[in-house]
Amino acid sequence: MSEDKKPHTENTGASERIGVYVCHCGTNIAGIVNVGDVSSWAGNNLKDQGVVVSRDYKFMCSSLGQELIQKDIKEQGLTRVVVAACSPHLHEATFRTACKGADLNPYLCELVSIREQVSWVHTDKAAATEKAKAILSGGVARVVHHEPLEPLHVPIHPATLVVGGGIAGIQAALEIADAGFPVYLVEREPTIGGHMAQFDKTFPTLDCSACILTPKMVQAGNHPNITLLTYSEVEKVDGFVGNFVATIRKRARSVNEKDCTGCGVCWEKCPKKVVDDVFEAGVGYRKAVYVPFPQAVPKYPVIDRVNCTYYQKGTCKACEKFCPTNAINFAQEDEILNVQIGNIILATGWQLFDARRIPNYGYGRLANVFTSMEFERLSNAAGPTGGAIVLRDGKTTPKSVAIVHCVGSRDKNYNNYCSAICCMQSLKFAHLVHEKTGADVYNFYIDIRTPAKDYDEFYQRLIEEGTLFVRGKVAEITDAARNPGEEGKLIVQVEDTLLGKQRRIPVDMVILSSGMEPRFDSKETAKIFGISCSASGWYLERHPKLDPVATMTDGIYLAGCVQGPKDIPASVAQGAAAAARILGKIQQKEIALEPVRATVHEEQCSGCRICNTMCPFNAILFHEDRMVSEVNPALCQGCGTCVAACPAGAISGTGFSNEQILSQIDGLLLLTVKNKEAAAA
Amino acid sequence: MTDTPETKPFEPTIIGFTCNWCSYRAADMAGISRMKYAPNVRLLRLMCSGRLDPMFVFKAFAGGADAVLVSGCHPGDCHYINQNYKTLRRFPLMQRVLAQMGIEPARLKLLWASASEGQIFANEVNRFIEEVRALGPLNWNQTGSEVPAEPAHEEVPA
């Protein structure tokens, strides 16, 4: 394993002048730890390590406390500062800034925690004081080996990559583009719009989803700062915050965008009809050459090569024959684009829970059990039935409809989480069914969750409209009738937990309010971008409360359901928030990074490449010509795993060097060793 | 718990390596929530448990620690994507080397604790201290000549 190259003797003498400051934190620390004792112990016993001044003070973080340190730095010529107070996660920045104010490099200050780790967790005063001394001594031993550091500054490329053209991605792209910076908006499907384009109405206002979405789509499509890359996927991302390079595959549409006018003759003439599993959720058809819906952006169609007669059988070419501008290009090939970007927003969205996974609900087996997305398409005036809510036969209007909440959500057999939108979505369905068909509507719910603005008012409205609510988790949906009244119906078997009895409710149609799930390939996508997923596959934000927009990887942000289930307003807000964060960064023109980084000492590197595979950030590159590895400091995140792994000890970790850690171990054990020696003597 | 003057129990010193993002914050959380645990452990912060050079563990034992705690993020939760898996792999090797040097492998403990798991951190630290107390002071034969019979089954087959 790696070893220290520099001799210890170099720094162990009193070459540094160290100031020690022990904080009382009112009585938070002083109530348990004898701070006066700790401070005088350090002043007397750590002299040989370089401690020249040791003080205790009521509140070190107060401006008076900070001035005390600054005064000592100037008057006593301190070269290192150790503060024994609270957790570095609370006040490290405070004391670093104080040192900087007195012209001492901020990284020459060490904060050791004697509050969270001592006074707040221990009750024995003598033992706590002893431990505080040990921790302080560790800090003093460590700080000797600190080096003056400067934050790393890297320039930021002004362009942004937005992955996913749903409402969150569109919003983010527009915000950035409107501010005057370039955006690449990449979407896997032939059109942007995402799931919102499929919906009929939006809750709780019941305004038409397409009416509010399509103007934004057009705006994104026409914006001079937005490069729209639909039918495209990001295959690879290299680089680091400020300087990413994304490799994007622009799949062949088989249509020349330059020539196409989007007139629609090709899909009129195309003889091949295909079930549309994506946009129409399987309840409608499209042609082999198609745009998913009439307002699609961009307007150019795509030839689905798997279903196109020409690609499969070699004859047809009807679209080519009838195209007035000769835009059809059967020979078109995928294009690979490399784009330079500074920041990335992931807005890759969600997918519907597959209701087939709950066999007792009968979806896929019982014809008149529908998923929520199928219902959206049925109810949509632009959908396959022209907005008529009918059974699977395409003509019968249901007289009674059951809506089942929490399908695949809040269920430990499927997903533990609440999908957040299903209650409101189910209420919306209930209203639409009621309004369009006059049918009796039953909502089967576990709890009604309507926490946002105007949501509960909508629920109250539904109750007034006469929608029936049954509190209980549906056990089974079956067509096995037990009495004549149930013949030809779907029977919903449920325990009504308010009545406290089992009920069988016969209905004509069942809508399963399926929950949201991460995209099937969310984990692979996370790997491409080097971010982490939670166990369920949603992407992890930097902080669940204080930073729900950024990820742990600098320069990569989240928007919309990719982070977790949310509704349209929340997705839009997050898209805008991610854009704002990035705009703030772009306008700074460069970014400051913490200088905790690994460095390879070339002369000691044997070129074994063990470290190369250790790094999950691909920060270590190997120079084939010189047979040595090198760490890219802007890509390195400073975990130090390569430092620990290098068999030659050729890698050092700034801020957490072997010397610093080994000395700190010595310092932490100083008292233990002394006590042992005393006991032996 | 530590104050019994008549029969003063053995008070081990334990060095605990913590990850900046999870277990160090779990210790902070234990503090903020005023959860109590015995004062025998001294924590040292690393950016990641993956930074744990096995040398640090041996150095701690050589320097007078009776036991060493290694803690990091739960597998799958690593702040640096998957570096805690490297620790997971190094851990049995370190235990084996300790056994070969005549140190009970049980003196080295691996603990996964997320930033929110202050209670788990406090409980596990307490439990470990009791385990080490039962083992007694580290009585390391400096020459390393006496290898206990117990880890013989861990020998690598030829």
Side-chain angles (χ1 to χ4, degrees):
Chain A
M1 287 299 147
S2 53
E3 279 189 32
D4 276 347
K5 292 299 158 191
K6 288 183 197 163
H8 272 295
T9 48
E10 214 174 77
N11 280 324
T12 45
S15 56
E16 303 298 343
R17 294 178 63 78
I18 305 171
V20 169
Y21 301 88
V22 185
C23 181
H24 295 219
C25 196
T27 54
N28 278 313
I29 296 172
I32 297 291
V33 174
N34 185 341
V35 282
D37 183 24
V38 173
S39 147
S40 59
W41 175 84
N44 295 325
N45 292 275
L46 300 176
K47 269 186 192 150
D48 55 339
Q49 308 218 24
V51 174
V52 291
V53 54
S54 182
R55 302 180 193 276
D56 57 282
Y57 187 71
K58 206 130 190 108
F59 289 103
M60 283 312 305
C61 60
S62 67
S63 46
L64 287 174
Q66 295 184 49
E67 280 163 23
L68 192 69
I69 299 175
Q70 293 179 326
K71 194 161 159 267
D72 281 352
I73 293 174
K74 285 181 179 152
E75 290 179 2
Q76 312 258 359
L78 300 182
T79 59
R80 298 285 189 278
V81 168
V82 179
V83 183
C86 50
S87 167
H89 289 139
L90 197 63
H91 272 311
E92 189 172 60
T94 310
F95 295 112
R96 281 184 174 174
T97 312
C99 289
K100 199 178 175 192
D103 297 326
L104 183 70
N105 184 289
Y107 294 93
L108 298 177
C109 168
E110 173 77 4
L111 177 54
V112 296
S113 170
I114 60 166
R115 190 178 74 173
E116 282 83 350
Q117 284 181 27
V118 181
S119 66
W120 277 354
V121 288
H122 303 321
T123 46
D124 179 338
K125 291 187 180 178
T129 305
E130 184 93 346
K131 182 175 173 183
K133 287 178 189 171
I135 290 178
L136 176 59
S137 137
V140 168
R142 185 187 207 281
V143 84
V144 172
H145 299 282
H146 279 216
E147 286 172 68
L149 302 172
E150 292 300 329
L152 298 166
H153 292 277
V154 293
I156 290 195
H157 194 281
T160 302
L161 173 69
V162 178
V163 189
I167 184 60
I170 292 174
Q171 181 71 31
L174 283 173
E175 299 274 358
I176 296 172
D178 283 345
F181 296 101
V183 177
Y184 297 94
L185 179 55
V186 176
E187 166 61 47
R188 172 183 280 171
E189 297 299 324
T191 171
I192 56 171
H195 283 108
M196 192 178 164
Q198 294 172 273
F199 298 155
D200 177 23
K201 299 284 193 287
T202 56
F203 57 75
T205 49
L206 297 172
D207 39 359
C208 150
S209 186
C211 311
I212 54 176
L213 174 68
T214 46
K216 276 191 177 289
M217 289 165 58
V218 173
Q219 217 184 326
N222 294 338
H223 205 293
N225 289 334
I226 297 180
T227 308
L228 196 55
L229 298 166
T230 52
Y231 211 48
S232 305
E233 288 182 48
V234 178
E235 292 202 324
K236 199 168 137 222
V237 174
D238 286 318
F240 45 87
V241 56
N243 298 281
F244 293 105
V245 177
T247 307
I248 300 165
R249 176 180 293 270
K250 193 163 183 271
R251 286 157 64 202
R253 292 180 104 96
S254 312
V255 172
N256 289 334
E257 294 179 18
K258 275 204 293 287
D259 304 324
C260 177
T261 59
C263 66
V265 170
C266 54
W267 64 83
E268 263 169 39
K269 299 293 179 188
C270 176
K272 180 74 187 232
K273 212 170 164 191
V274 183
V275 174
D276 186 350
D277 283 328
V278 179
F279 189 78
E280 296 289 4
V283 290
Y285 295 91
R286 61 167 169 80
K287 295 293 183 62
V289 53
Y290 70 106
V291 291
F293 55 101
Q295 307 100 313
V297 171
K299 62 194 171 189
Y300 320 117
V302 164
I303 297 184
D304 164 13
R305 294 188 176 182
V306 177
N307 288 303
C308 170
T309 313
Y310 170 71
Y311 282 105
Q312 296 308 318
K313 294 185 181 156
T315 55
C316 178
K317 291 194 172 183
C319 48
E320 192 184 48
K321 263 174 240 156
F322 288 98
C323 179
T325 58
N326 291 324
I328 302 289
N329 177 3
F330 289 112
Q332 200 176 50
E333 284 180 8
D334 289 4
E335 236 180 290
I336 304 288
L337 306 171
N338 283 309
V339 297
Q340 272 264 325
I341 53 213
N343 292 281
I344 297 170
I345 296 176
L346 289 176
T348 48
W350 58 282
Q351 69 182 30
L352 200 67
F353 170 82
D354 182 2
R356 287 181 185 84
R357 286 168 60 193
I358 310 183
N360 36 331
Y361 285 179
Y363 177 68
R365 176 165 52 86
L366 304 170
N368 292 320
V369 177
F370 290 80
T371 65
S372 41
M373 200 54 87
E374 285 179 330
F375 180 80
E376 292 281 3
R377 294 313 301 159
L378 284 188
S379 183
N380 195 315
T385 59
I389 297 169
V390 289
L391 298 184
R392 201 72 77 169
D393 62 10
K395 49 182 195 256
T396 318
T397 304
K399 293 195 172 58
S400 51
V401 176
I403 301 171
V404 182
H405 293 224
C406 299
V407 174
S409 309
R410 302 182 68 199
D411 184 335
K412 66 179 176 185
N413 297 312
Y414 307 101
N415 293 315
N416 282 329
Y417 54 81
C418 167
S419 285
I421 50 104
C422 323
C423 278
M424 285 304 291
Q425 167 187 276
S426 304
L427 295 175
K428 175 184 79 178
F429 291 169
H431 172 85
L432 292 173
V433 171
H434 204 77
E435 184 184 64
K436 291 190 175 180
T437 66
D440 293 331
V441 186
Y442 297 88
N443 267 265
F444 297 91
Y445 67 99
I446 310 177
D447 299 291
I448 293 284
R449 296 185 167 180
T450 52
K453 190 180 176 188
D454 292 338
Y455 283 12
D456 206 65
E457 290 87 329
F458 189 68
Y459 174 39
Q460 300 303 330
R461 174 177 166 189
L462 263 287
I463 293 174
E464 279 162 26
E465 280 178 8
T467 302
L468 302 161
F469 289 89
V470 179
R471 186 175 183 275
K473 199 167 162 62
V474 171
E476 190 186 15
I477 295 160
T478 174
D479 57 355
R482 288 190 192 162
N483 57 53
E486 294 178 356
E487 288 294 345
K489 299 267 188 183
L490 292 171
I491 302 104
V492 180
Q493 172 84 46
V494 61
E495 183 191 359
D496 187 327
T497 57
L498 294 180
L499 288 178
K501 65 178 194 180
Q502 287 287 336
R503 294 177 72 181
R504 285 170 66 83
I505 299 174
V507 292
D508 296 325
M509 179 187 208
V510 173
I511 306 165
L512 301 178
S513 219
S514 303
M516 287 181 165
E517 282 198 331
R519 298 291 298 192
F520 67 94
D521 57 351
S522 71
K523 291 199 170 140
E524 288 79 58
T525 310
K527 273 194 194 129
I528 292 176
F529 291 92
I531 60 164
S532 15
C533 295
S534 68
S536 44
W538 303 111
Y539 292 171
L540 271 188
E541 60 281 353
R542 186 175 279 258
H543 190 284
K545 312 231 167 23
L546 302 177
D547 203 349
V549 176
T551 65
M552 297 288 191
T553 307
D554 282 339
I556 301 186
Y557 297 84
L558 303 175
C561 292
V562 71
Q563 180 229 351
K566 51 178 69 69
D567 54 16
I568 294 167
S571 298
V572 170
Q574 204 179 11
R581 290 286 293 276
I582 289 176
L583 287 171
K585 289 262 168 69
I586 297 173
Q587 272 159 352
Q588 306 244 327
K589 294 196 170 61
E590 61 173 25
I591 185 171
L593 305 174
E594 268 285 288
V596 176
R597 294 289 181 268
T599 322
V600 179
H601 301 289
E602 264 188 32
E603 68 284 1
Q604 288 161 25
C605 177
S606 66
C608 70
R609 306 191 67 171
I610 285 176
C611 57
N612 295 192
T613 53
M614 284 279 155
C615 184
F617 305 101
N618 299 324
I620 308 180
L621 43 121
F622 185 68
H623 294 290
E624 295 280 355
D625 48 341
R626 284 179 285 145
M627 296 295 280
V628 288
S629 294
E630 189 192 343
V631 177
N632 180 341
L635 209 52
C636 172
Q637 301 287 308
C639 68
T641 306
C642 58
V643 185
C646 179
I651 311 180
S652 63
T654 317
F656 291 84
S657 69
N658 284 349
E659 288 161 305
Q660 283 168 326
I661 295 164
L662 294 172
S663 305
Q664 189 175 2
I665 295 172
D666 275 335
L668 289 172
L669 292 168
L670 185 72
L671 273 172
T672 308
V673 172
K674 279 193 176 163
N675 289 345
K676 272 187 189 170
E677 282 168 2
Chain B
M1 147 178 18
T2 52
D3 247 345
T4 44
E6 306 88 30
T7 53
K8 205 170 180 221
F10 157 60
E11 289 298 346
T13 304
I14 299 174
I15 296 289
F17 293 97
T18 54
C19 153
N20 179 56
W21 305 98
C22 54
S23 45
Y24 193 88
R25 282 162 201 252
D28 275 0
M29 177 59 75
I32 290 160
S33 320
R34 311 297 201 278
M35 296 158 180
K36 303 298 177 202
Y37 56 89
N40 305 59
V41 66
R42 282 106 176 85
L43 300 184
L44 193 150
R45 179 166 65 123
L46 302 173
M47 288 309 279
C48 175
S49 59
R51 174 67 183 94
L52 186 87
D53 190 325
M55 179 174 63
F56 301 160
V57 171
F58 305 135
K59 166 81 179 174
F61 280 114
D66 297 295
V68 173
L69 175 73
V70 175
S71 60
C73 308
H74 286 278
D77 282 357
C78 184
H79 180 81
Y80 302 102
I81 301 180
N82 54 20
Q83 301 300 58
N84 53 355
Y85 284 94
K86 277 104 187 180
T87 313
L88 189 60
R89 281 184 231 146
R90 284 171 192 159
F91 186 75
L93 298 176
M94 290 191 279
Q95 278 198 320
R96 200 148 135 184
V97 172
L98 286 180
Q100 288 167 355
M101 292 197 294
I103 296 176
E104 298 91 332
R107 289 184 188 272
L108 180 62
K109 181 188 172 81
L110 182 62
L111 167 65
W112 303 131
S114 76
S116 57
E117 292 176 339
Q119 189 66 64
I120 289 177
F121 184 85
N123 293 347
E124 289 297 311
V125 164
N126 265 342
R127 185 153 73 166
F128 188 41
I129 290 169
E130 286 315 310
E131 285 166 8
V132 177
R133 220 191 286 279
L135 285 171
L138 173 63
N139 204 1
W140 189 13
N141 187 325
Q142 294 289 330
T143 61
S145 57
E146 279 180 40
V147 177
E150 154 194 31
H153 64 279
E154 286 188 293
E155 290 298 319
V156 182

